[in-house]
Amino acid sequence: MDMVLKIVYMADTILIYYQVPTFCLLGVAAYRGWKNGAKVMIRGVIAFCISIVVLIGMPMGIIESLLPEETSGDVETAIMKEVSKWTN
């Protein structure tokens, strides 16, 4: 179970590091604004932000409380170094 939690934490960290949610948010805002107008765009952006909190923020918080020694400190840097080794 710990391994699954570590994998989820690593995936969420990578998503945040590469700003994937930010680019998705910009895409949602642009599409909704272009297609339907400002009012629908604002609702879409708010719904997207709430879903990001539920899908990324809550699992990260739960994992950090369950595995404090593995997630404390500079884990993000270690994960990014490991990912850089894989991609190079």
Side-chain angles (χ1 to χ4, degrees):
M1 183 65 177
D2 286 347
M3 190 62 165
V4 172
L5 293 177
K6 290 176 187 178
I7 291 171
V8 169
Y9 188 80
M10 185 174 74
D12 288 343
T13 303
I14 291 170
L15 284 174
I16 291 171
Y17 181 80
Y18 288 111
Q19 298 182 355
V20 173
T22 304
F23 292 128
C24 292
L25 176 63
L26 291 173
V28 166
Y31 177 75
R32 293 287 186 151
W34 176 69
K35 189 89 170 167
N36 299 322
K39 192 173 184 180
V40 175
M41 178 192 70
I42 292 171
R43 284 190 305 207
V45 167
I46 291 171
F48 181 82
C49 291
I50 291 170
S51 68
I52 289 298
V53 167
V54 171
L55 293 174
I56 292 179
M58 288 177 62
M60 284 188 79
I62 292 169
I63 293 169
E64 286 176 359
S65 68
L66 292 175
L67 305 170
E69 58 277 348
E70 280 90 0
T71 58
S72 64
D74 207 17
V75 175
E76 288 81 11
T77 304
I79 290 173
M80 290 306 120
K81 286 180 183 176
E82 185 68 26
V83 170
S84 296
K85 283 188 221 173
W86 296 345
T87 57
N88 289 334

